[in-house]
mmCIF file of all heavy atoms in Angstrom:
data_model
loop_
_atom_site.group_PDB
_atom_site.id
_atom_site.type_symbol
_atom_site.label_atom_id
_atom_site.label_comp_id
_atom_site.label_asym_id
_atom_site.label_seq_id
_atom_site.Cartn_x
_atom_site.Cartn_y
_atom_site.Cartn_z
ATOM 1 N N LEU A 163 9.684 -20.875 36.176
ATOM 2 C CA LEU A 163 9.340 -21.770 35.108
ATOM 3 C C LEU A 163 8.310 -22.824 35.575
ATOM 4 O O LEU A 163 8.649 -23.628 36.415
ATOM 5 C CB LEU A 163 10.559 -22.476 34.521
ATOM 6 C CG LEU A 163 11.750 -21.541 34.162
ATOM 7 C CD1 LEU A 163 13.047 -21.978 34.853
ATOM 8 C CD2 LEU A 163 11.992 -21.527 32.663
ATOM 9 N N ASP A 164 7.104 -22.743 35.043
ATOM 10 C CA ASP A 164 6.043 -23.653 35.470
ATOM 11 C C ASP A 164 5.931 -24.838 34.464
ATOM 12 O O ASP A 164 5.310 -24.623 33.429
ATOM 13 C CB ASP A 164 4.710 -22.924 35.538
ATOM 14 C CG ASP A 164 3.622 -23.773 36.253
ATOM 15 O OD1 ASP A 164 3.933 -24.929 36.600
ATOM 16 O OD2 ASP A 164 2.540 -23.243 36.447
ATOM 17 N N GLU A 165 6.520 -25.972 34.764
ATOM 18 C CA GLU A 165 6.537 -27.107 33.883
ATOM 19 C C GLU A 165 6.789 -26.725 32.437
ATOM 20 O O GLU A 165 5.988 -27.042 31.530
ATOM 21 C CB GLU A 165 5.181 -27.852 34.012
ATOM 22 C CG GLU A 165 4.926 -28.349 35.373
ATOM 23 C CD GLU A 165 3.724 -29.333 35.386
ATOM 24 O OE1 GLU A 165 3.765 -30.283 34.608
ATOM 25 O OE2 GLU A 165 2.775 -29.089 36.134
ATOM 26 N N PRO A 166 7.903 -26.098 32.156
ATOM 27 C CA PRO A 166 8.100 -25.502 30.795
ATOM 28 C C PRO A 166 8.298 -26.596 29.785
ATOM 29 O O PRO A 166 8.104 -26.346 28.591
ATOM 30 C CB PRO A 166 9.378 -24.666 30.972
ATOM 31 C CG PRO A 166 10.127 -25.324 32.090
ATOM 32 C CD PRO A 166 9.023 -25.815 33.040
ATOM 33 N N LEU A 167 8.614 -27.823 30.186
ATOM 34 C CA LEU A 167 8.912 -28.873 29.244
ATOM 35 C C LEU A 167 7.912 -29.976 29.254
ATOM 36 O O LEU A 167 8.035 -30.985 28.600
ATOM 37 C CB LEU A 167 10.314 -29.469 29.473
ATOM 38 C CG LEU A 167 11.457 -28.412 29.670
ATOM 39 C CD1 LEU A 167 12.780 -29.110 29.911
ATOM 40 C CD2 LEU A 167 11.546 -27.521 28.444
ATOM 41 N N GLY A 168 6.792 -29.775 30.019
ATOM 42 C CA GLY A 168 5.812 -30.816 30.295
ATOM 43 C C GLY A 168 5.177 -31.361 29.034
ATOM 44 O O GLY A 168 4.764 -32.519 29.008
ATOM 45 N N ALA A 169 4.995 -30.539 28.008
ATOM 46 C CA ALA A 169 4.209 -30.974 26.859
ATOM 47 C C ALA A 169 5.078 -31.586 25.752
ATOM 48 O O ALA A 169 4.537 -31.914 24.716
ATOM 49 C CB ALA A 169 3.446 -29.772 26.309
ATOM 50 N N LEU A 170 6.376 -31.745 26.024
ATOM 51 C CA LEU A 170 7.261 -32.210 24.949
ATOM 52 C C LEU A 170 7.447 -33.708 25.000
ATOM 53 O O LEU A 170 7.336 -34.342 26.040
ATOM 54 C CB LEU A 170 8.647 -31.513 25.063
ATOM 55 C CG LEU A 170 8.618 -29.981 25.083
ATOM 56 C CD1 LEU A 170 9.978 -29.431 25.312
ATOM 57 C CD2 LEU A 170 8.040 -29.465 23.775
ATOM 58 N N ASP A 171 7.770 -34.308 23.836
ATOM 59 C CA ASP A 171 8.066 -35.766 23.804
ATOM 60 C C ASP A 171 9.367 -36.031 24.544
ATOM 61 O O ASP A 171 10.158 -35.088 24.745
ATOM 62 C CB ASP A 171 8.112 -36.255 22.350
ATOM 63 C CG ASP A 171 9.294 -35.696 21.620
ATOM 64 O OD1 ASP A 171 10.410 -36.224 21.756
ATOM 65 O OD2 ASP A 171 9.133 -34.694 20.928
ATOM 66 N N ALA A 172 9.592 -37.271 24.903
ATOM 67 C CA ALA A 172 10.685 -37.630 25.829
ATOM 68 C C ALA A 172 12.024 -37.168 25.255
ATOM 69 O O ALA A 172 12.859 -36.621 26.034
ATOM 70 C CB ALA A 172 10.681 -39.106 26.071
ATOM 71 N N MET A 173 12.249 -37.379 23.982
ATOM 72 C CA MET A 173 13.619 -37.022 23.442
ATOM 73 C C MET A 173 13.817 -35.533 23.389
ATOM 74 O O MET A 173 14.873 -35.051 23.757
ATOM 75 C CB MET A 173 13.741 -37.638 22.039
ATOM 76 C CG MET A 173 14.626 -38.883 22.092
ATOM 77 S SD MET A 173 14.569 -39.774 20.548
ATOM 78 C CE MET A 173 15.312 -38.610 19.413
ATOM 79 N N THR A 174 12.813 -34.828 22.923
ATOM 80 C CA THR A 174 12.937 -33.346 22.892
ATOM 81 C C THR A 174 13.132 -32.793 24.319
ATOM 82 O O THR A 174 13.870 -31.872 24.509
ATOM 83 C CB THR A 174 11.672 -32.734 22.234
ATOM 84 O OG1 THR A 174 11.406 -33.428 21.033
ATOM 85 C CG2 THR A 174 11.853 -31.256 21.927
ATOM 86 N N ARG A 175 12.345 -33.403 25.244
ATOM 87 C CA ARG A 175 12.421 -32.962 26.606
ATOM 88 C C ARG A 175 13.851 -33.128 27.164
ATOM 89 O O ARG A 175 14.371 -32.176 27.805
ATOM 90 C CB ARG A 175 11.441 -33.750 27.456
ATOM 91 C CG ARG A 175 11.318 -33.245 28.831
ATOM 92 C CD ARG A 175 10.062 -33.815 29.533
ATOM 93 N NE ARG A 175 9.926 -33.291 30.857
ATOM 94 C CZ ARG A 175 8.814 -33.408 31.570
ATOM 95 N NH1 ARG A 175 7.768 -34.014 31.067
ATOM 96 N NH2 ARG A 175 8.724 -32.911 32.781
ATOM 97 N N THR A 176 14.473 -34.255 26.902
ATOM 98 C CA THR A 176 15.816 -34.457 27.408
ATOM 99 C C THR A 176 16.774 -33.411 26.804
ATOM 100 O O THR A 176 17.631 -32.842 27.468
ATOM 101 C CB THR A 176 16.334 -35.874 27.021
ATOM 102 O OG1 THR A 176 15.361 -36.811 27.564
ATOM 103 C CG2 THR A 176 17.677 -36.178 27.662
ATOM 104 N N ARG A 177 16.629 -33.167 25.481
ATOM 105 C CA ARG A 177 17.489 -32.170 24.801
ATOM 106 C C ARG A 177 17.242 -30.780 25.401
ATOM 107 O O ARG A 177 18.202 -30.035 25.684
ATOM 108 C CB ARG A 177 17.159 -32.116 23.326
ATOM 109 C CG ARG A 177 18.324 -32.588 22.486
ATOM 110 C CD ARG A 177 18.349 -32.116 21.022
ATOM 111 N NE ARG A 177 17.192 -31.506 20.478
ATOM 112 C CZ ARG A 177 16.255 -32.138 19.792
ATOM 113 N NH1 ARG A 177 16.345 -33.434 19.602
ATOM 114 N NH2 ARG A 177 15.227 -31.486 19.285
ATOM 115 N N MET A 178 15.966 -30.487 25.659
ATOM 116 C CA MET A 178 15.643 -29.159 26.187
ATOM 117 C C MET A 178 16.126 -28.972 27.643
ATOM 118 O O MET A 178 16.457 -27.874 28.059
ATOM 119 C CB MET A 178 14.120 -28.940 26.131
ATOM 120 C CG MET A 178 13.622 -28.706 24.734
ATOM 121 S SD MET A 178 14.012 -27.053 24.120
ATOM 122 C CE MET A 178 13.053 -26.054 25.208
ATOM 123 N N GLN A 179 16.195 -30.086 28.387
ATOM 124 C CA GLN A 179 16.746 -29.981 29.762
ATOM 125 C C GLN A 179 18.219 -29.553 29.701
ATOM 126 O O GLN A 179 18.614 -28.663 30.457
ATOM 127 C CB GLN A 179 16.637 -31.337 30.470
ATOM 128 C CG GLN A 179 15.210 -31.636 30.885
ATOM 129 C CD GLN A 179 14.961 -33.083 31.253
ATOM 130 O OE1 GLN A 179 15.851 -33.923 31.125
ATOM 131 N NE2 GLN A 179 13.779 -33.395 31.768
ATOM 132 N N GLY A 180 18.955 -30.143 28.787
ATOM 133 C CA GLY A 180 20.377 -29.749 28.635
ATOM 134 C C GLY A 180 20.483 -28.338 28.227
ATOM 135 O O GLY A 180 21.324 -27.546 28.742
ATOM 136 N N PHE A 181 19.637 -27.948 27.323
ATOM 137 C CA PHE A 181 19.626 -26.586 26.801
ATOM 138 C C PHE A 181 19.308 -25.582 27.909
ATOM 139 O O PHE A 181 19.990 -24.557 28.113
ATOM 140 C CB PHE A 181 18.601 -26.470 25.656
ATOM 141 C CG PHE A 181 18.076 -25.119 25.421
ATOM 142 C CD1 PHE A 181 18.804 -24.203 24.727
ATOM 143 C CD2 PHE A 181 16.823 -24.777 25.926
ATOM 144 C CE1 PHE A 181 18.324 -22.913 24.565
ATOM 145 C CE2 PHE A 181 16.337 -23.514 25.768
ATOM 146 C CZ PHE A 181 17.095 -22.555 25.082
ATOM 147 N N LEU A 182 18.292 -25.908 28.705
ATOM 148 C CA LEU A 182 17.880 -25.039 29.789
ATOM 149 C C LEU A 182 18.985 -24.854 30.829
ATOM 150 O O LEU A 182 19.245 -23.719 31.315
ATOM 151 C CB LEU A 182 16.624 -25.642 30.428
ATOM 152 C CG LEU A 182 15.802 -24.727 31.340
ATOM 153 C CD1 LEU A 182 15.338 -23.489 30.662
ATOM 154 C CD2 LEU A 182 14.572 -25.497 31.854
ATOM 155 N N LEU A 183 19.631 -25.946 31.132
ATOM 156 C CA LEU A 183 20.733 -25.912 32.103
ATOM 157 C C LEU A 183 21.845 -24.998 31.584
ATOM 158 O O LEU A 183 22.425 -24.186 32.317
ATOM 159 C CB LEU A 183 21.209 -27.340 32.298
ATOM 160 C CG LEU A 183 22.050 -27.647 33.508
ATOM 161 C CD1 LEU A 183 21.279 -27.336 34.800
ATOM 162 C CD2 LEU A 183 22.408 -29.140 33.547
ATOM 163 N N ASP A 184 22.120 -25.136 30.324
ATOM 164 C CA ASP A 184 23.179 -24.333 29.718
ATOM 165 C C ASP A 184 22.826 -22.840 29.719
ATOM 166 O O ASP A 184 23.626 -21.999 30.111
ATOM 167 C CB ASP A 184 23.266 -24.812 28.245
ATOM 168 C CG ASP A 184 24.652 -24.861 27.765
ATOM 169 O OD1 ASP A 184 25.513 -25.280 28.549
ATOM 170 O OD2 ASP A 184 24.933 -24.417 26.655
ATOM 171 N N VAL A 185 21.620 -22.536 29.282
ATOM 172 C CA VAL A 185 21.191 -21.112 29.213
ATOM 173 C C VAL A 185 21.170 -20.518 30.609
ATOM 174 O O VAL A 185 21.615 -19.422 30.845
ATOM 175 C CB VAL A 185 19.762 -21.048 28.578
ATOM 176 C CG1 VAL A 185 19.150 -19.667 28.778
ATOM 177 C CG2 VAL A 185 19.822 -21.395 27.110
ATOM 178 N N TRP A 186 20.651 -21.308 31.579
ATOM 179 C CA TRP A 186 20.620 -20.791 32.963
ATOM 180 C C TRP A 186 22.043 -20.510 33.514
ATOM 181 O O TRP A 186 22.287 -19.493 34.118
ATOM 182 C CB TRP A 186 19.904 -21.789 33.862
ATOM 183 C CG TRP A 186 20.192 -21.562 35.314
ATOM 184 C CD1 TRP A 186 19.651 -20.643 36.097
ATOM 185 C CD2 TRP A 186 21.114 -22.306 36.088
ATOM 186 N NE1 TRP A 186 20.201 -20.726 37.361
ATOM 187 C CE2 TRP A 186 21.120 -21.738 37.360
ATOM 188 C CE3 TRP A 186 21.982 -23.403 35.839
ATOM 189 C CZ2 TRP A 186 21.935 -22.226 38.390
ATOM 190 C CZ3 TRP A 186 22.769 -23.847 36.834
ATOM 191 C CH2 TRP A 186 22.754 -23.276 38.112
ATOM 192 N N SER A 187 22.943 -21.472 33.251
ATOM 193 C CA SER A 187 24.291 -21.317 33.845
ATOM 194 C C SER A 187 24.981 -20.049 33.239
ATOM 195 O O SER A 187 25.780 -19.427 33.946
ATOM 196 C CB SER A 187 25.095 -22.573 33.669
ATOM 197 O OG SER A 187 25.628 -22.680 32.353
ATOM 198 N N LYS A 188 24.689 -19.747 31.998
ATOM 199 C CA LYS A 188 25.266 -18.543 31.414
ATOM 200 C C LYS A 188 24.594 -17.258 31.936
ATOM 201 O O LYS A 188 25.219 -16.228 31.990
ATOM 202 C CB LYS A 188 25.188 -18.613 29.911
ATOM 203 C CG LYS A 188 26.160 -19.623 29.319
ATOM 204 C CD LYS A 188 26.061 -19.745 27.822
ATOM 205 C CE LYS A 188 26.943 -20.851 27.318
ATOM 206 N NZ LYS A 188 26.274 -21.700 26.345
ATOM 207 N N SER A 189 23.303 -17.378 32.278
ATOM 208 C CA SER A 189 22.566 -16.194 32.645
ATOM 209 C C SER A 189 22.889 -15.716 34.072
ATOM 210 O O SER A 189 22.684 -14.540 34.391
ATOM 211 C CB SER A 189 21.059 -16.439 32.570
ATOM 212 O OG SER A 189 20.616 -17.181 33.703
ATOM 213 N N ARG A 190 23.386 -16.608 34.930
ATOM 214 C CA ARG A 190 23.664 -16.295 36.339
ATOM 215 C C ARG A 190 22.381 -15.957 37.098
ATOM 216 O O ARG A 190 22.437 -15.458 38.242
ATOM 217 C CB ARG A 190 24.706 -15.164 36.564
ATOM 218 C CG ARG A 190 25.676 -14.938 35.491
ATOM 219 C CD ARG A 190 26.931 -15.769 35.612
ATOM 220 N NE ARG A 190 27.439 -16.013 36.938
ATOM 221 C CZ ARG A 190 28.031 -17.175 37.302
ATOM 222 N NH1 ARG A 190 28.131 -18.155 36.429
ATOM 223 N NH2 ARG A 190 28.457 -17.326 38.522
ATOM 224 N N ALA A 191 21.199 -16.129 36.511
ATOM 225 C CA ALA A 191 19.955 -15.876 37.231
ATOM 226 C C ALA A 191 19.680 -16.982 38.220
ATOM 227 O O ALA A 191 20.330 -18.018 38.220
ATOM 228 C CB ALA A 191 18.799 -15.788 36.206
ATOM 229 N N GLY A 192 18.752 -16.728 39.141
ATOM 230 C CA GLY A 192 18.204 -17.780 39.984
ATOM 231 C C GLY A 192 17.061 -18.380 39.233
ATOM 232 O O GLY A 192 16.372 -17.679 38.512
ATOM 233 N N ALA A 193 16.914 -19.721 39.366
ATOM 234 C CA ALA A 193 15.760 -20.357 38.678
ATOM 235 C C ALA A 193 14.888 -21.058 39.714
ATOM 236 O O ALA A 193 15.362 -21.670 40.664
ATOM 237 C CB ALA A 193 16.265 -21.369 37.641
ATOM 238 N N LEU A 194 13.562 -20.940 39.482
ATOM 239 C CA LEU A 194 12.593 -21.710 40.233
ATOM 240 C C LEU A 194 11.764 -22.434 39.206
ATOM 241 O O LEU A 194 11.030 -21.851 38.455
ATOM 242 C CB LEU A 194 11.699 -20.754 41.067
ATOM 243 C CG LEU A 194 10.591 -21.394 41.896
ATOM 244 C CD1 LEU A 194 11.146 -22.263 43.002
ATOM 245 C CD2 LEU A 194 9.676 -20.355 42.513
ATOM 246 N N LEU A 195 11.944 -23.780 39.162
ATOM 247 C CA LEU A 195 11.287 -24.549 38.125
ATOM 248 C C LEU A 195 10.355 -25.607 38.788
ATOM 249 O O LEU A 195 10.744 -26.254 39.761
ATOM 250 C CB LEU A 195 12.315 -25.247 37.241
ATOM 251 C CG LEU A 195 11.764 -26.129 36.143
ATOM 252 C CD1 LEU A 195 12.548 -25.971 34.821
ATOM 253 C CD2 LEU A 195 11.769 -27.633 36.524
ATOM 254 N N ILE A 196 9.166 -25.741 38.210
ATOM 255 C CA ILE A 196 8.200 -26.716 38.668
ATOM 256 C C ILE A 196 8.177 -27.893 37.731
ATOM 257 O O ILE A 196 8.167 -27.705 36.518
ATOM 258 C CB ILE A 196 6.864 -26.058 38.779
ATOM 259 C CG1 ILE A 196 6.840 -25.105 39.930
ATOM 260 C CG2 ILE A 196 5.711 -27.046 38.891
ATOM 261 C CD1 ILE A 196 5.686 -24.170 39.962
ATOM 262 N N THR A 197 8.124 -29.079 38.307
ATOM 263 C CA THR A 197 8.016 -30.262 37.474
ATOM 264 C C THR A 197 7.307 -31.391 38.216
ATOM 265 O O THR A 197 7.193 -31.360 39.390
ATOM 266 C CB THR A 197 9.414 -30.752 36.976
ATOM 267 O OG1 THR A 197 9.219 -31.778 36.037
ATOM 268 C CG2 THR A 197 10.259 -31.220 38.136
ATOM 269 N N HIS A 198 6.789 -32.370 37.433
ATOM 270 C CA HIS A 198 6.310 -33.597 37.997
ATOM 271 C C HIS A 198 7.341 -34.706 37.875
ATOM 272 O O HIS A 198 7.111 -35.791 38.375
ATOM 273 C CB HIS A 198 5.052 -34.073 37.192
ATOM 274 C CG HIS A 198 3.824 -33.358 37.590
ATOM 275 N ND1 HIS A 198 3.028 -32.700 36.656
ATOM 276 C CD2 HIS A 198 3.231 -33.182 38.730
ATOM 277 C CE1 HIS A 198 1.973 -32.183 37.270
ATOM 278 N NE2 HIS A 198 2.086 -32.425 38.557
ATOM 279 N N SER A 199 8.431 -34.420 37.160
ATOM 280 C CA SER A 199 9.379 -35.484 36.827
ATOM 281 C C SER A 199 10.580 -35.485 37.824
ATOM 282 O O SER A 199 11.270 -34.522 37.942
ATOM 283 C CB SER A 199 9.865 -35.280 35.433
ATOM 284 O OG SER A 199 11.131 -35.921 35.232
ATOM 285 N N ILE A 200 10.733 -36.604 38.479
ATOM 286 C CA ILE A 200 11.840 -36.755 39.428
ATOM 287 C C ILE A 200 13.159 -36.683 38.715
ATOM 288 O O ILE A 200 14.111 -36.050 39.217
ATOM 289 C CB ILE A 200 11.683 -38.073 40.272
ATOM 290 C CG1 ILE A 200 10.439 -37.957 41.141
ATOM 291 C CG2 ILE A 200 12.923 -38.345 41.098
ATOM 292 C CD1 ILE A 200 10.085 -39.220 41.910
ATOM 293 N N ASP A 201 13.255 -37.292 37.543
ATOM 294 C CA ASP A 201 14.499 -37.201 36.782
ATOM 295 C C ASP A 201 14.802 -35.772 36.415
ATOM 296 O O ASP A 201 15.908 -35.306 36.539
ATOM 297 C CB ASP A 201 14.387 -38.050 35.488
ATOM 298 C CG ASP A 201 14.669 -39.518 35.750
ATOM 299 O OD1 ASP A 201 15.637 -39.812 36.448
ATOM 300 O OD2 ASP A 201 13.905 -40.369 35.270
ATOM 301 N N GLU A 202 13.784 -35.034 35.937
ATOM 302 C CA GLU A 202 14.045 -33.613 35.549
ATOM 303 C C GLU A 202 14.539 -32.830 36.788
ATOM 304 O O GLU A 202 15.462 -32.039 36.667
ATOM 305 C CB GLU A 202 12.756 -33.044 35.034
ATOM 306 C CG GLU A 202 12.930 -31.624 34.403
ATOM 307 C CD GLU A 202 11.760 -31.351 33.480
ATOM 308 O OE1 GLU A 202 11.691 -31.907 32.382
ATOM 309 O OE2 GLU A 202 10.874 -30.552 33.914
ATOM 310 N N ALA A 203 13.894 -33.107 37.949
ATOM 311 C CA ALA A 203 14.306 -32.413 39.147
ATOM 312 C C ALA A 203 15.777 -32.695 39.446
ATOM 313 O O ALA A 203 16.616 -31.798 39.714
ATOM 314 C CB ALA A 203 13.426 -32.829 40.311
ATOM 315 N N LEU A 204 16.174 -33.981 39.438
ATOM 316 C CA LEU A 204 17.565 -34.340 39.787
ATOM 317 C C LEU A 204 18.583 -33.856 38.796
ATOM 318 O O LEU A 204 19.694 -33.506 39.154
ATOM 319 C CB LEU A 204 17.678 -35.857 39.932
ATOM 320 C CG LEU A 204 16.947 -36.436 41.207
ATOM 321 C CD1 LEU A 204 17.038 -37.942 41.169
ATOM 322 C CD2 LEU A 204 17.608 -35.883 42.481
ATOM 323 N N LEU A 205 18.154 -33.766 37.468
ATOM 324 C CA LEU A 205 19.113 -33.408 36.457
ATOM 325 C C LEU A 205 19.325 -31.872 36.363
ATOM 326 O O LEU A 205 20.375 -31.409 35.916
ATOM 327 C CB LEU A 205 18.704 -33.936 35.083
ATOM 328 C CG LEU A 205 18.742 -35.446 34.957
ATOM 329 C CD1 LEU A 205 18.153 -35.891 33.629
ATOM 330 C CD2 LEU A 205 20.152 -36.007 35.131
#
Side-chain angles (χ1 to χ4, degrees):
L163 308 126
D164 191 357
E165 298 192 56
L167 312 180
L170 303 176
D171 67 82
M173 256 168 66
T174 311
R175 187 165 182 167
T176 306
R177 245 203 349 264
M178 287 286 294
Q179 285 165 353
F181 155 79
L182 193 58
L183 199 57
D184 219 43
V185 168
W186 161 78
S187 77
K188 288 180 185 132
S189 77
R190 332 274 323 145
L194 178 67
L195 179 139
I196 287 167
T197 187
H198 280 125
S199 158
I200 293 175
D201 278 315
E202 189 161 285
L204 288 175
L205 294 174

